[in-house]
Amino acid sequence: MAVGGGPRSPRGGPALLLALSLISSHAAAGGTSLYDLLLPYHPSEHGSHHNHRYVRDCQPVTYGNVTHETWPADKSTDLPIVSTTVFVSKFPTDEGKPKAVYGHFTVVSNPLRTVSVLEPLKPGGCSRFYTATVQETDNLKKCLVAQNGGFFQMNTGRCLGNIVSNGNLVQNGKGIQNAQFGIKKDGTLVFGYLSEEDVLDTGNPFVQLVSGVVWLLRNGTIYINESKMAECAETQETGSFDKFVNVVSARTAVGHDKYGRLVLFHIDGQTDDRGLNLWEMAEFLKHRGVVNAINLDGGGSATLVLNGTLANYPSDHCSFDSMWRCPRQVSTVMCVHEPECVPADCSGHGNCLLGDCFCTDFWSGPACDTLDCGPSNCTENGICTENGCVCFPGWMGVNCSYECPVGWYGQQCQQACQCADMCPCHPVTGSCNITLESILNGSWYRVHNCIASQMDKTGKEQQNLEEDSNFLKTKIWPIISVTLLLMFLMSAAGNIFQFCQNGTCSEIRRGYSYHLLKDANGILTHAEMPEIIPLKQTNTHIQEDNSQETMNF
């Protein structure tokens, strides 16, 4: 705790006044205060007055200029997500008699997806100065494990230090140099002291961040003395800060092991009566394999809730009866929940279960933001929608892989064709003016009626052509033949008549001789006619009289 006083409810004033009056009256009566206060600083202030450069310069030289440690977070998805061990351990004391300490040791897998820093009661609770019990805030997130977180002012409810909740910067601590725990966007775990520039980094921003007081373990080494130098106010180096470190009380812490699993640690106690001091807690965590750890709010604020049920013994007395113990209203809460999906609502198209989106309808992908209508994805004949494939006109089926059946066309093949002879129409427009080739693209059983009709029409046309051909053969060709014969006879008769007109038909002579014409184109006269020499025939050959030259034929 930072400043004493009663808790502040979301409704404000009356509860605060009532709480303060109860504290005052109980203290005046000589009784014990209702509240188990564990204050690292004076009530009027909180946080170190040193700047980041001072912290950097005064730390051991082995760490150089780095004032914080980083560690890769575990990213396993194995179950269980979280395991909490209840323990009762014996610790040695100065008196020699061991003391029994009761507490819880929680190990968390995959902290990037399973751990959140929650504001009190609801988002915006810090800006409204709300406080609430861990159980009340737990109801918002349904945490598997919930533990109180950072420090706050009890009299006002103001959250203290740097706070980032689920990626939202709730509060900038303005460079306050107290021990910090955070988770980066890439899953890196961060422990130690941060500058304001570190907190506001946008390259790899914090998604969760909370401020504690005292860095308990740094790389497996107890770091309390160095923390006292960095975090102690100048006016109280030997005052209340030392008491805060050394007094036994209820305590809480956050750290990690070598596997990158987050560790939440809780110890029941009562300030100055039972519990652990920071040295004992650091030693206990070191022997349990914790590498880095910071101390969180303790005293009456120390609270652990498992599955919505209070699991520890609070150290604050109940306001209605000091005999009983009640959990305190606190500020921030460390919440371990089921792995979150990214985005948490699975883009509105699925349900998140253990960090995985189970998509509804036809949505797919890790974020359920991709439409998927199956392996063929509507076969390019339709559009995939959240209700499935919407087929283009002319196509049907779950994947739009079937063309409209014969006789149907249009959107979802709901319109009937109006073509004759049961012929198919165009599957998109319904037009009957399509080719036989397009018909044959379908199945034979779908189009046999139309093909049979078209083949019947083709057969009739061929029969008509054959009948016309037979008519030509039996009627027209004889007429043409007779006509050609008559024309030939008439031509022959004309030639004979002309030949006889030239006087060459008066006598047919039995004997003849051959003589060259002198003028092939002229008309022979009687004077020019050659003398005819009679021939005589022998048994062997033909000879001329007067022993003239013989011509053989």
Side-chain angles (χ1 to χ4, degrees):
M1 259 2 85
V3 178
R8 185 178 186 273
S9 75
R11 291 177 293 276
L16 174 62
L17 293 177
L18 176 61
L20 289 175
S21 64
L22 287 171
I23 295 173
S24 300
S25 61
H26 194 78
T32 303
S33 171
L34 293 177
Y35 298 103
D36 179 15
L37 301 179
L38 182 61
L39 307 178
Y41 300 100
H42 286 301
S44 61
E45 59 185 22
H46 177 81
S48 170
H49 289 208
H50 304 303
N51 58 34
H52 184 257
R53 181 169 182 173
Y54 170 86
V55 173
R56 182 192 65 192
D57 292 343
C58 73
Q59 72 179 0
V61 295
T62 56
Y63 298 110
N65 292 327
V66 180
T67 60
H68 59 270
E69 299 295 335
T70 60
W71 201 274
D74 169 70
K75 295 184 179 180
S76 66
T77 57
D78 298 336
L79 296 177
I81 299 166
V82 55
S83 62
T84 298
T85 302
V86 181
F87 65 89
V88 177
S89 296
K90 294 293 184 70
F91 287 79
T93 63
D94 294 337
E95 293 79 12
K97 182 180 179 180
K99 61 180 178 181
V101 177
Y102 170 83
H104 298 81
F105 191 88
T106 300
V107 180
V108 186
S109 300
N110 200 357
L112 175 63
R113 300 179 66 186
T114 60
V115 175
S116 296
V117 175
L118 302 182
E119 295 184 70
L121 201 61
K122 61 181 180 180
C126 281
S127 63
R128 295 176 175 86
F129 301 136
Y130 287 170
T131 58
T133 65
V134 173
Q135 284 176 291
E136 290 172 332
T137 302
D138 169 271
N139 292 332
L140 173 71
K141 197 75 174 180
K142 304 298 182 185
C143 307
L144 303 173
V145 178
Q147 182 175 291
N148 64 288
F151 289 77
F152 67 103
Q153 286 183 334
M154 286 186 63
N155 62 338
T156 65
R158 183 169 72 91
C159 301
L160 299 173
N162 296 302
I163 302 171
V164 175
S165 176
N166 296 319
N168 299 314
L169 179 62
V170 174
Q171 185 167 287
N172 175 9
K174 304 296 182 181
I176 187 172
Q177 294 306 296
N178 286 113
Q180 313 283 320
F181 158 69
I183 305 176
K184 291 274 194 171
K185 185 178 181 180
D186 65 355
T188 301
L189 304 178
V190 180
F191 289 82
Y193 302 114
L194 304 173
S195 66
E196 187 173 7
E197 290 75 15
D198 293 329
V199 173
L200 301 179
D201 174 45
T202 58
N204 183 22
F206 282 100
V207 292
Q208 314 293 341
L209 183 61
V210 66
S211 294
V213 174
V214 179
W215 192 351
L216 300 172
L217 291 173
R218 183 171 186 176
N219 283 339
T221 301
I222 295 177
Y223 202 68
I224 295 176
N225 280 329
E226 292 83 354
S227 293
K228 288 171 61 178
M229 185 179 298
E231 299 185 49
C232 182
E234 294 176 357
T235 59
Q236 55 182 101
E237 292 181 356
T238 58
S240 61
F241 199 87
D242 268 347
K243 181 179 180 181
F244 173 79
V245 171
N246 296 319
V247 70
V248 295
S249 185
R251 302 284 187 173
T252 62
V254 58
H256 74 86
D257 63 13
K258 64 181 181 179
Y259 303 108
R261 298 177 300 181
L262 202 69
V263 173
L264 295 178
F265 182 73
H266 161 266
I267 284 289
D268 271 337
Q270 180 83 42
T271 303
D272 278 328
D273 183 24
R274 52 192 172 89
L276 296 178
N277 61 38
L278 294 188
W279 296 98
E280 293 169 327
M281 182 164 65
E283 192 71 32
F284 182 88
L285 293 174
K286 178 181 177 180
H287 283 89
R288 297 304 180 276
V290 176
V291 180
N292 288 287
I294 68 167
N295 173 67
L296 297 176
D297 196 4
S301 296
T303 309
L304 182 72
V305 174
L306 301 178
N307 292 319
T309 301
L310 184 66
N312 73 301
Y313 298 99
S315 57
D316 275 1
H317 295 269
C318 297
S319 59
F320 58 86
D321 189 340
S322 62
M323 176 181 176
W324 308 107
R325 303 299 176 102
C326 290
R328 179 182 294 176
Q329 291 180 335
V330 297
S331 61
T332 53
V333 170
M334 302 291 298
C335 172
V336 181
H337 47 75
E338 290 185 353
E340 290 189 336
C341 295
V342 181
D345 65 347
C346 297
S347 304
H349 305 134
N351 299 310
C352 182
L353 180 62
L354 295 177
D356 293 321
C357 285
F358 290 84
C359 306
T360 57
D361 299 325
F362 292 91
W363 293 96
S364 65
C368 294
D369 57 353
T370 302
L371 283 169
D372 184 3
C373 291
S376 56
N377 206 24
C378 303
T379 60
E380 298 183 355
N381 299 320
I383 299 175
C384 184
T385 71
E386 57 184 319
N387 296 317
C389 288
V390 175
C391 303
F392 296 140
W395 296 91
M396 60 181 294
V398 175
N399 292 315
C400 301
S401 55
Y402 298 103
E403 197 174 1
C404 288
V406 174
W408 301 91
Y409 75 97
Q411 192 74 39
Q412 295 295 320
C413 303
Q414 296 296 311
Q415 296 175 273
C417 295
Q418 303 299 322
C419 302
D421 301 317
M422 298 180 66
C423 285
C425 58
H426 193 282
V428 177
T429 64
S431 172
C432 298
N433 185 23
I434 57 176
T435 63
L436 183 61
E437 179 182 359
S438 65
I439 295 174
L440 295 177
N441 287 334
S443 300
W444 278 101
Y445 76 91
R446 295 169 56 200
V447 297
H448 69 277
N449 289 327
C450 176
I451 294 178
S453 175
Q454 294 193 5
M455 292 178 65
D456 181 61
K457 290 181 179 179
T458 303
K460 289 181 179 179
E461 291 176 356
Q462 291 178 349
Q463 183 179 358
N464 291 336
L465 290 174
E466 290 177 359
E467 291 177 355
D468 292 342
S469 177
N470 291 334
F471 176 77
L472 291 173
K473 291 179 180 179
T474 56
K475 301 295 183 181
I476 298 179
W477 284 113
I479 295 175
I480 294 175
S481 299
V482 171
T483 301
L484 291 175
L485 179 60
L486 290 175
M487 291 176 65
F488 174 75
L489 293 175
M490 291 175 63
S491 175
N495 290 333
I496 294 172
F497 176 77
Q498 184 178 5
F499 181 75
C500 292
Q501 284 291 105
N502 292 331
T504 59
C505 299
S506 58
E507 183 178 356
I508 301 175
R509 302 179 184 273
R510 294 179 59 186
Y512 63 91
S513 66
Y514 171 77
H515 194 278
L516 295 174
L517 295 177
K518 292 181 178 180
D519 189 358
N521 294 326
I523 301 175
L524 295 175
T525 61
H526 185 270
E528 295 171 339
M529 290 291 293
E531 180 181 4
I532 300 174
I533 301 174
L535 300 174
K536 59 182 179 179
Q537 184 175 359
T538 66
N539 292 331
T540 59
H541 58 273
I542 299 174
Q543 296 181 348
E544 292 184 359
D545 289 341
N546 299 326
S547 300
Q548 295 184 2
E549 184 181 355
T550 302
M551 297 185 65
N552 297 319
F553 292 93

PDB file of all heavy atoms in Angstrom, residues 419-424 449-451 453-454 457:
ATOM      1  N   CYS A 419     -37.986 -23.276 -75.567  1.00  0.00           N
ATOM      2  CA  CYS A 419     -37.566 -23.727 -76.886  1.00  0.00           C
ATOM      3  C   CYS A 419     -38.404 -24.926 -77.338  1.00  0.00           C
ATOM      4  O   CYS A 419     -38.849 -25.735 -76.524  1.00  0.00           O
ATOM      5  CB  CYS A 419     -36.085 -24.105 -76.876  1.00  0.00           C
ATOM      6  SG  CYS A 419     -35.011 -22.747 -76.360  1.00  0.00           S
ATOM      7  N   ALA A 420     -38.604 -25.030 -78.679  1.00  0.00           N
ATOM      8  CA  ALA A 420     -39.373 -26.133 -79.254  1.00  0.00           C
ATOM      9  C   ALA A 420     -38.580 -27.427 -79.195  1.00  0.00           C
ATOM     10  O   ALA A 420     -37.353 -27.419 -79.093  1.00  0.00           O
ATOM     11  CB  ALA A 420     -39.746 -25.804 -80.706  1.00  0.00           C
ATOM     12  N   ASP A 421     -39.314 -28.536 -79.290  1.00  0.00           N
ATOM     13  CA  ASP A 421     -38.732 -29.884 -79.363  1.00  0.00           C
ATOM     14  C   ASP A 421     -37.858 -30.200 -78.147  1.00  0.00           C
ATOM     15  O   ASP A 421     -36.910 -30.983 -78.239  1.00  0.00           O
ATOM     16  CB  ASP A 421     -37.901 -30.051 -80.638  1.00  0.00           C
ATOM     17  CG  ASP A 421     -38.724 -29.834 -81.893  1.00  0.00           C
ATOM     18  OD1 ASP A 421     -39.862 -30.343 -81.924  1.00  0.00           O
ATOM     19  OD2 ASP A 421     -38.232 -29.152 -82.802  1.00  0.00           O
ATOM     20  N   MET A 422     -38.191 -29.588 -77.017  1.00  0.00           N
ATOM     21  CA  MET A 422     -37.434 -29.832 -75.775  1.00  0.00           C
ATOM     22  C   MET A 422     -35.961 -29.502 -75.922  1.00  0.00           C
ATOM     23  O   MET A 422     -35.105 -30.066 -75.243  1.00  0.00           O
ATOM     24  CB  MET A 422     -37.598 -31.287 -75.318  1.00  0.00           C
ATOM     25  CG  MET A 422     -39.012 -31.657 -74.988  1.00  0.00           C
ATOM     26  SD  MET A 422     -39.154 -33.385 -74.458  1.00  0.00           S
ATOM     27  CE  MET A 422     -38.231 -33.311 -72.915  1.00  0.00           C
ATOM     28  N   CYS A 423     -35.603 -28.604 -76.823  1.00  0.00           N
ATOM     29  CA  CYS A 423     -34.209 -28.226 -77.017  1.00  0.00           C
ATOM     30  C   CYS A 423     -33.743 -27.335 -75.865  1.00  0.00           C
ATOM     31  O   CYS A 423     -34.524 -26.547 -75.331  1.00  0.00           O
ATOM     32  CB  CYS A 423     -34.024 -27.482 -78.330  1.00  0.00           C
ATOM     33  SG  CYS A 423     -34.098 -28.566 -79.758  1.00  0.00           S
ATOM     34  N   PRO A 424     -32.483 -27.482 -75.479  1.00  0.00           N
ATOM     35  CA  PRO A 424     -31.967 -26.609 -74.412  1.00  0.00           C
ATOM     36  C   PRO A 424     -31.789 -25.191 -74.889  1.00  0.00           C
ATOM     37  O   PRO A 424     -31.570 -24.938 -76.070  1.00  0.00           O
ATOM     38  CB  PRO A 424     -30.623 -27.258 -74.056  1.00  0.00           C
ATOM     39  CG  PRO A 424     -30.191 -27.931 -75.305  1.00  0.00           C
ATOM     40  CD  PRO A 424     -31.451 -28.431 -75.958  1.00  0.00           C
ATOM     41  N   ASN A 449     -33.659 -35.963 -76.506  1.00  0.00           N
ATOM     42  CA  ASN A 449     -34.903 -35.611 -77.190  1.00  0.00           C
ATOM     43  C   ASN A 449     -34.673 -34.557 -78.259  1.00  0.00           C
ATOM     44  O   ASN A 449     -35.178 -34.648 -79.379  1.00  0.00           O
ATOM     45  CB  ASN A 449     -35.934 -35.098 -76.181  1.00  0.00           C
ATOM     46  CG  ASN A 449     -36.463 -36.209 -75.304  1.00  0.00           C
ATOM     47  OD1 ASN A 449     -36.581 -37.350 -75.759  1.00  0.00           O
ATOM     48  ND2 ASN A 449     -36.782 -35.900 -74.060  1.00  0.00           N
ATOM     49  N   CYS A 450     -33.860 -33.532 -77.853  1.00  0.00           N
ATOM     50  CA  CYS A 450     -33.600 -32.463 -78.823  1.00  0.00           C
ATOM     51  C   CYS A 450     -32.793 -32.979 -80.002  1.00  0.00           C
ATOM     52  O   CYS A 450     -33.082 -32.673 -81.153  1.00  0.00           O
ATOM     53  CB  CYS A 450     -32.873 -31.306 -78.141  1.00  0.00           C
ATOM     54  SG  CYS A 450     -32.408 -29.979 -79.263  1.00  0.00           S
ATOM     55  N   ILE A 451     -31.791 -33.808 -79.759  1.00  0.00           N
ATOM     56  CA  ILE A 451     -30.949 -34.337 -80.835  1.00  0.00           C
ATOM     57  C   ILE A 451     -31.765 -35.233 -81.749  1.00  0.00           C
ATOM     58  O   ILE A 451     -31.648 -35.182 -82.978  1.00  0.00           O
ATOM     59  CB  ILE A 451     -29.750 -35.087 -80.246  1.00  0.00           C
ATOM     60  CG1 ILE A 451     -28.848 -34.103 -79.511  1.00  0.00           C
ATOM     61  CG2 ILE A 451     -28.980 -35.828 -81.322  1.00  0.00           C
ATOM     62  CD1 ILE A 451     -27.664 -34.755 -78.845  1.00  0.00           C
ATOM     63  N   SER A 453     -34.910 -35.008 -82.325  1.00  0.00           N
ATOM     64  CA  SER A 453     -35.775 -34.147 -83.133  1.00  0.00           C
ATOM     65  C   SER A 453     -35.000 -33.521 -84.277  1.00  0.00           C
ATOM     66  O   SER A 453     -35.472 -33.477 -85.418  1.00  0.00           O
ATOM     67  CB  SER A 453     -36.380 -33.057 -82.240  1.00  0.00           C
ATOM     68  OG  SER A 453     -37.128 -32.146 -83.006  1.00  0.00           O
ATOM     69  N   GLN A 454     -33.792 -33.028 -83.969  1.00  0.00           N
ATOM     70  CA  GLN A 454     -33.001 -32.406 -85.030  1.00  0.00           C
ATOM     71  C   GLN A 454     -32.562 -33.436 -86.059  1.00  0.00           C
ATOM     72  O   GLN A 454     -32.546 -33.160 -87.258  1.00  0.00           O
ATOM     73  CB  GLN A 454     -31.783 -31.706 -84.419  1.00  0.00           C
ATOM     74  CG  GLN A 454     -32.168 -30.520 -83.553  1.00  0.00           C
ATOM     75  CD  GLN A 454     -30.986 -29.645 -83.214  1.00  0.00           C
ATOM     76  OE1 GLN A 454     -29.887 -29.895 -83.717  1.00  0.00           O
ATOM     77  NE2 GLN A 454     -31.212 -28.641 -82.396  1.00  0.00           N
ATOM     78  N   LYS A 457     -35.483 -34.063 -88.382  1.00  0.00           N
ATOM     79  CA  LYS A 457     -35.634 -32.996 -89.363  1.00  0.00           C
ATOM     80  C   LYS A 457     -34.598 -33.132 -90.465  1.00  0.00           C
ATOM     81  O   LYS A 457     -34.892 -32.973 -91.658  1.00  0.00           O
ATOM     82  CB  LYS A 457     -35.489 -31.632 -88.684  1.00  0.00           C
ATOM     83  CG  LYS A 457     -36.662 -31.279 -87.774  1.00  0.00           C
ATOM     84  CD  LYS A 457     -36.450 -29.906 -87.156  1.00  0.00           C
ATOM     85  CE  LYS A 457     -37.616 -29.522 -86.265  1.00  0.00           C
ATOM     86  NZ  LYS A 457     -37.415 -28.198 -85.644  1.00  0.00           N
TER      87      LYS A 457
END
